[in-house]
Amino acid sequence: MSGFSEDMPFFDEPNARPTAPSGIAARAMAARSGHINAPDYLKGLNPEQRLAVETTEGPVLVLAGAGTGKTRVLTTRIAHILATGKAFPSQILAVTFTNKAAREMKTRIGHLVGEAVEGMPWLGTFHSIGVKLLRRHAELAGLRSDFTILDTDDVVRLIKQLIQAEGLDDKRWPAKQFAQMIDGWKNKGQGPADIAEGDARAFANGKGRELYKAYQARLQTLNACDFGDLLCHPIRIFRANPDVLKEYHKRFKYILVDEYQDTNTAQYMWLRLLAQRPDAGRASTSTDLRPAEGRKPDRASAGQAAPTEASERNSRTAVIDNKVNICCVGDDDQSIYGWRGAEIDNILRFDKDFPGATIIRLERNYRSTAHILGAASHLIAHNEGRFGKTLFTDRDEPEDGKVHVHAAWDSEEEARAVGETIEAYQRQKHNLNDMAILVRASFQMREFEDRFVTLGLNYRVIGGPRFYERLEIRDALAFFRVVAQGADDLAFERIVNVPKRGLGEATIRQIHDTARALRVPMLEAAAKLAESDELKPKPRAALREVSANFERWQKALETTPHTELAETILEESGYTDMWKNDRSVEAPGRLENLKELIRSMEEYESLRSFLEHVALVMDAEQNAELDAVNIMTLHSAKGLEFETVFLPGWEEGLFPHQRALDEGGRSGLEEERRLAYVGLTRAKKNLHLWFVSNRRIHGLWQSTIPSRFLDELPEAHVEVAESGNSYGGYGNSYGGGSFAPGRGGQGAGRQNPYGASRFDSVGGNNGGAEKSGAFSNTYATPGWQRAQANRTEATDRNWGSRSGHQVERIGYGETDSGYGAGRTSVKGRTIDGELVAKSVADKPSAFSVGDRVFHQKFGNGNISAIEGNKLTIDFDKAGQKRVLDGFVAAV
DNA sequence: CCGGTCTAAAGAACG
DNA sequence: TTTAGACCGG
């Protein structure tokens, strides 16, 4: 058992019996004696869910559509395995992607099974389980078991050093870019030797592979690894050490994977290694697969008497012990992380990877209204690469409204209208917490925030930078890291001159060189240098102090409680003082955060375990008390649900995003469509989509055309609504419905869905007149016409500020670009009839400085400057604006 | 070492 | 338009 240290008991099963509490065990036994009295935990499952829970043996793929009870199935399945005694908690490997999901599973299993979950050591994220494996077998990967986990920021800094060490220009070859490349390789499970020649050549004049190698070597000397290594190292260890792998084969009787559609190639390989059995599929009692000594093959069959169907299946299992009991749960239609390395193919070819797999579809949706489901299903049906599921619901309540599509003139009006609609809901006694605005790109948030601040409407931004990514937290952690792991050069470099001690670039360079020459960590090298006379007095004294500090702290590590030590470190290093003396607006907040950091340390037993959790699982807490509208990206909305959902920005170029189309082509478009599907299916009752005619992108006003996804919504489930403006008189419109009633779709314009849109004539003045005839369908209603007429005339109200307004930011320091005043309108553009539109490269403008031009929104003006196709124009009335040259005409 | 100035880039983000 | 990062001068 190489790699298992004494203090990490590994196959330490409780002797007596599975740890399911007696209550559950009793219920499980009752279940076995007949099907009439199913245990409580199975009650309330629909037939498909129940099948997914009870099909414990063999490979199973559960295709769980949005809102079909996926988590319930997963947790109940684990509870079922435990309750029926098929496995001990420690014999179940259950992986998720996020800490949140892992946490939720833990608590929900806890509710089902009682306290027994405490014994589920292998329920966690891919990464946390990866660390666990790697700590056990660190030496097989050339690491010590106290290795450090570097985050993205550390990695980039490290790579930058390497690039410079290679004598390369670090501006021409940005470290960030290379970090992403490495990440991509690791997502595919590729080491330096495995990467494609082309990839290796693409960076740093063909030095890509070398750099990658140097990077890995550097990590090893630092006794560190990056996130990707948490998967790749175990894979390599398993491959090179069959005996180690075999132990895990024996251990894990059941494997469960959440969100399987999001797995990347490395995760897939990792799972394959753990799931594969040397002679899988063949009934066998081969010695190497026998359970560990001192244990019966299967408690359930061995220990319980009644020969029921369940126990029979168990005894069969005991014979075919090498069968792969892997259950993957996911939804191919919600695969939205291809850009992060996820391989939707993993889920699509599950039955090829695991022959004889049972595929179970969960299509009964418990979340949304029939209209919402209808809209979402119809949209996603436009994708080709999918299993094909259709969500359905029994709900058919007359008061359920259709999906609302709104048009607005520009993004300001959009934010205004959404705000009004939210207030209207609020007057109907809806909680703000039950509402969410889901955007495609985070820069869209800005406009809503501005608006809500003006309105005094509480909101909360979810996502964004996390707690431990803040400057002060990262600094503090760097101190702790050096104390805990003296070889952590990156951390050392980060704080050696914090607060400023006069240790500039030159001194650090010198420490670096000394460390290299002596082959010791920088901390040690610094200590040596401080004693030598190679430095000038000033840096020498400073360095001496630093190394004395660390020496003292490292000694204290063994004797002092870690929270106390942490406080001492921050005090003695002068770090807290540094912020106390800082008079910037952020300083008090930073001090507060440091306090919070110390507070959160109390939950861990040692500095080391705390550091590991910080790297892997630390989230910013959010304030659920406050009633506030939720604002987040579509990506971070996956897995959530809200009573009322607003989806702004459904325009070509933004959604689907142009870059997704340019880089991903057809599959990029399909992923965008899945993202749209995710957005639609977040809504339980009310769903509002918005598109605008004008949006400012990177400071330039551009006209936009409605998203093709709008055209893909079925008319039967959609109605076009008047946009909220000052003419609407929204106050009491909900329930009564001032939205224009649709007439039932005739499907006009379906033949050429992407060439022209039935929204063309309403989204803006992009050639509406000539087109409207061809699209006289549902949307040619009086309400719609009115909305159009009003759209251009929308006026500002006198918005007063409300007292008690609160804003919460989860994370901080958003860096979104925003929109200012001024609007423009534009002539229409067409996109390719092909599904994938290409962006147009900047062409030099045909205009010259001084030309007199006309702009639909701003009127006449003179061009004062030209950059490529971007014009700066002094308008007679509207002042100076920057617009794209396609949007003006010569006068 | 600090602070002002210039430039380039600006999609989503898990651990 | 906004922003972070590099760059330069004091």
Side-chain angles (χ1 to χ4, degrees):
Chain A
M1 287 227 296
S2 62
F4 299 134
S5 57
E6 297 271 279
D7 57 334
M8 292 178 179
F10 192 45
F11 292 104
D12 53 333
E13 292 312 335
N15 288 321
R17 56 191 166 81
T19 50
S22 51
I24 283 282
R27 265 176 278 152
M29 282 166 72
R32 257 176 240 121
S33 60
H35 273 143
I36 304 114
N37 290 323
D40 285 351
Y41 62 85
L42 288 179
K43 284 185 186 150
L45 295 180
N46 67 38
E48 296 76 29
Q49 289 175 329
R50 185 149 175 185
L51 187 65
V53 165
E54 293 189 302
T55 311
T56 54
E57 312 308 305
V60 177
L61 175 63
V62 180
L63 288 172
T68 55
K70 177 195 71 161
T71 310
R72 183 164 185 201
V73 163
L74 264 174
T75 51
T76 312
R77 186 182 165 95
I78 290 174
H80 183 66
I81 290 170
L82 293 175
T84 51
K86 290 168 191 291
F88 297 109
S90 60
Q91 291 173 317
I92 298 174
L93 171 66
V95 273
T96 64
F97 274 85
T98 63
N99 294 304
K100 202 177 154 214
R103 237 177 292 137
E104 192 185 341
M105 274 180 66
K106 266 188 187 152
T107 43
R108 286 178 67 168
I109 295 169
H111 288 316
L112 288 171
V113 167
E115 302 306 309
V117 253
E118 285 191 23
M120 286 213 46
W122 300 99
L123 190 170
T125 62
F126 276 101
H127 291 87
S128 67
I129 291 170
V131 186
K132 196 163 180 167
L133 293 171
L134 195 50
R135 294 241 187 257
R136 287 176 191 280
H137 308 287
E139 79 285 0
L140 295 177
L143 295 168
R144 297 196 308 274
S145 74
D146 66 343
F147 61 83
T148 311
I149 302 159
L150 302 184
D151 62 35
T152 329
D153 198 78
D154 295 319
V155 168
V156 171
R157 282 190 296 140
L158 195 158
I159 290 173
K160 190 164 178 180
Q161 291 175 3
L162 290 172
I163 288 173
Q164 286 166 343
E166 281 288 320
L168 294 160
D169 180 3
D170 65 315
K171 265 173 288 174
R172 173 125 181 255
W173 307 107
K176 217 173 182 174
Q177 194 190 331
F178 195 65
Q180 281 166 2
M181 288 177 77
I182 290 181
D183 206 49
W185 289 324
K186 291 191 175 176
N187 282 339
K188 291 191 258 173
Q190 295 174 334
D194 309 316
I195 61 175
E197 194 54 38
D199 281 5
R201 245 183 253 284
F203 196 83
N205 307 321
K207 288 189 179 170
R209 195 189 307 273
E210 253 175 82
L211 268 179
Y212 187 8
K213 241 184 251 171
Y215 170 74
Q216 289 304 124
R218 188 91 186 90
L219 286 183
Q220 198 158 325
T221 53
L222 286 171
N223 189 32
C225 65
D226 60 23
F227 286 123
D229 285 340
L230 298 181
L231 276 167
C232 291
H233 280 321
I235 289 173
R236 242 167 272 133
I237 290 170
F238 288 154
R239 285 193 177 149
N241 306 274
D243 54 318
V244 172
L245 180 58
K246 205 179 293 167
E247 298 302 333
Y248 290 96
H249 283 164
K250 284 185 205 163
R251 156 145 299 234
F252 298 132
K253 296 181 119 187
Y254 294 92
I255 299 177
L256 293 95
V257 187
D258 189 18
E259 305 279 18
Y260 190 61
Q261 79 283 352
D262 288 339
T263 51
N264 60 35
T265 304
Q267 286 154 344
Y268 167 77
M269 297 192 310
W270 187 90
L271 284 169
R272 277 303 292 248
L273 281 163
L274 288 169
Q276 83 191 172
R277 298 293 185 271
D279 17 55
R282 210 178 338 137
S284 152
T285 49
S286 67
T287 35
D288 58 347
L289 289 165
R290 252 193 340 233
E293 52 175 288
R295 262 192 304 126
K296 292 276 177 63
D298 197 295
R299 294 280 154 193
S301 54
Q304 265 86 39
T308 62
E309 190 184 305
S311 69
E312 232 177 73
R313 187 161 59 221
N314 287 333
S315 55
R316 204 159 53 229
T317 318
V319 179
I320 311 173
D321 202 348
N322 54 354
K323 202 167 174 191
V324 182
N325 296 324
I326 184 170
C327 173
C328 296
V329 180
D331 182 359
D332 50 318
D333 290 333
Q334 292 187 68
S335 164
I336 55 174
Y337 285 112
W339 51 273
R340 214 169 65 185
E343 282 287 340
I344 191 175
D345 238 33
N346 289 347
I347 194 169
L348 294 179
R349 45 149 225 262
F350 185 85
D351 51 340
K352 314 266 184 317
D353 289 334
F354 299 97
T358 310
I359 298 186
I360 299 165
R361 282 179 167 76
L362 305 182
E363 296 174 299
R364 180 182 296 265
N365 176 290
Y366 296 96
R367 180 185 294 158
S368 310
T369 67
H371 282 309
I372 291 167
L373 287 184
S377 298
H378 198 275
L379 175 102
I380 199 63
H382 288 78
N383 271 5
E384 282 175 9
R386 64 189 291 256
F387 273 110
K389 303 183 298 311
T390 305
L391 298 181
F392 67 93
T393 177
D394 292 339
R395 279 178 65 166
D396 184 20
E397 293 160 40
E399 69 267 25
D400 286 344
K402 293 188 177 185
V403 174
H404 305 290
V405 175
H406 309 252
W409 169 248
D410 64 10
S411 40
E412 284 172 2
E413 191 194 297
E414 179 185 55
R416 254 197 319 271
V418 169
E420 279 186 62
T421 312
I422 287 171
E423 293 189 312
Y425 276 116
Q426 210 178 8
R427 282 191 289 274
Q428 302 290 312
K429 304 287 177 236
H430 286 81
N431 287 327
L432 295 177
N433 277 336
D434 296 330
M435 301 182 224
I437 300 171
L438 312 181
V439 297
R440 173 63 183 82
S442 55
F443 72 79
Q444 293 171 262
M445 292 178 182
R446 166 77 183 267
E447 210 120 27
F448 291 99
E449 293 191 58
D450 287 352
R451 189 71 216 155
F452 295 167
V453 168
T454 310
L455 288 176
L457 196 64
N458 295 341
Y459 68 90
R460 131 181 354 110
V461 173
I462 293 175
R466 271 152 318 144
F467 182 73
Y468 67 82
E469 284 170 350
R470 298 172 193 202
L471 176 83
E472 66 279 14
I473 300 302
R474 296 183 50 82
D475 283 343
L477 291 175
F479 279 106
F480 304 159
R481 274 164 57 182
V482 177
V483 172
Q485 218 266 96
D488 194 336
D489 284 2
L490 284 163
F492 178 80
E493 267 188 83
R494 184 184 176 99
I495 43 77
V496 66
N497 195 32
V498 177
K500 299 272 183 265
R501 298 187 171 85
L503 293 168
E505 209 183 323
T507 317
I508 292 174
R509 173 98 270 135
Q510 212 167 340
I511 301 172
H512 218 274
D513 294 344
T514 312
R516 286 232 155 166
L518 299 176
R519 296 176 180 282
V520 295
M522 287 176 79
L523 178 63
E524 232 173 282
K528 286 231 163 62
L529 265 179
E531 297 313 318
S532 74
D533 49 8
E534 287 173 51
L535 293 171
K536 293 193 180 126
K538 230 175 151 189
R540 194 162 102 191
L543 207 51
R544 189 173 287 169
E545 196 201 327
V546 171
S547 60
N549 276 346
F550 276 111
E551 207 173 306
R552 195 170 62 253
W553 295 330
Q554 283 178 336
K555 255 187 213 135
L557 185 56
E558 279 138 45
T559 55
T560 320
H562 63 285
T563 33
E564 199 179 303
L565 176 62
E567 268 178 292
T568 310
I569 293 172
L570 295 184
E571 283 300 326
E572 292 184 356
S573 62
Y575 194 72
T576 24
D577 284 342
M578 180 180 103
W579 289 119
K580 278 180 190 156
N581 297 331
D582 189 307
R583 271 158 302 139
S584 64
V585 273
E586 298 100 54
R590 294 193 196 275
L591 283 165
E592 201 43 54
N593 289 335
L594 289 171
K595 271 188 209 150
E596 174 61 35
L597 181 75
I598 304 278
R599 225 173 295 142
S600 68
M601 292 177 80
E602 288 168 11
E603 294 164 33
Y604 302 90
E605 53 192 26
S606 70
L607 188 64
R608 190 169 296 164
S609 73
F610 168 72
L611 286 174
E612 177 156 320
H613 281 271
V614 162
L616 289 176
V617 302
M618 207 149 134
D619 294 331
E621 303 242 333
Q622 49 178 286
N623 180 3
E625 313 281 296
L626 177 67
D627 189 37
V629 181
N630 300 286
I631 304 178
M632 70 194 88
T633 63
L634 285 162
H635 281 92
S636 45
K638 195 170 79 152
L640 305 177
E641 60 177 30
F642 300 92
E643 199 83 4
T644 301
V645 168
F646 300 90
L647 301 174
W650 282 48
E651 300 120 37
E652 284 294 309
L654 179 59
F655 195 31
H657 199 281
Q658 191 57 51
R659 267 175 83 169
L661 303 182
D662 289 349
E663 291 165 20
R666 174 85 185 212
S667 66
L669 174 64
E670 296 214 339
E671 183 156 308
E672 292 288 290
R673 192 177 281 114
R674 291 192 290 269
L675 195 51
Y677 175 78
V678 167
L680 298 175
T681 52
R682 296 311 93 195
K684 293 199 227 172
K685 283 191 91 161
N686 311 300
L687 180 55
H688 296 265
L689 279 56
W690 250 276
F691 69 95
V692 304
S693 310
N694 298 285
R695 193 173 284 281
R696 190 161 51 179
I697 311 274
H698 310 325
L700 287 173
W701 280 100
Q702 286 182 252
S703 87
T704 50
I705 58 175
S707 171
R708 67 191 77 187
F709 297 151
L710 290 171
D711 285 300
E712 294 172 2
L713 299 173
E715 293 175 5
H717 296 297
V718 174
E719 69 189 3
V720 174
E722 287 183 60
S723 64
N725 56 39
S726 36
Y727 299 90
Y730 257 48
N732 47 9
S733 57
Y734 284 84
S738 78
F739 292 120
R743 245 191 256 143
Q746 304 303 316
R750 274 268 159 253
Q751 298 87 341
N752 187 10
Y754 307 121
S757 163
R758 67 179 190 248
F759 293 92
D760 279 356
S761 59
V762 296
N765 43 355
N766 32 18
E770 70 212 56
K771 281 179 185 166
S772 56
F775 299 95
S776 52
N777 53 25
T778 313
Y779 303 98
T781 60
W784 182 243
Q785 306 283 348
R786 208 162 353 126
Q788 253 184 279
N790 289 343
R791 193 190 57 243
T792 53
E793 295 164 48
T795 52
D796 233 344
R797 276 186 188 164
N798 188 16
W799 304 100
S801 214
R802 219 179 276 161
S803 63
H805 173 239
Q806 286 186 68
V807 171
E808 183 189 8
R809 259 198 183 280
I810 314 275
Y812 101 149
E814 287 294 321
T815 61
D816 310 329
S817 54
Y819 303 89
R823 302 160 170 170
T824 216
S825 87
V826 227
K827 67 174 189 251
R829 284 175 303 165
T830 47
I831 53 169
D832 298 355
E834 249 286 270
L835 280 170
V836 176
K838 277 277 171 197
S839 50
V840 186
D842 283 11
K843 284 181 302 216
S845 174
F847 295 101
S848 346
V849 174
D851 283 1
R852 184 131 178 101
V853 292
F854 173 75
H855 189 279
Q856 283 203 34
K857 175 69 187 174
F858 300 130
N860 289 313
N862 298 312
I863 297 177
S864 63
I866 300 179
E867 298 164 58
N869 59 349
K870 298 170 187 110
L871 310 177
T872 305
I873 302 170
D874 292 320
F875 288 101
D876 301 348
K877 300 224 172 81
Q880 193 177 76
K881 306 280 176 202
R882 298 224 309 155
V883 294
L884 285 180
D885 73 344
F887 304 149
V888 296
V891 179

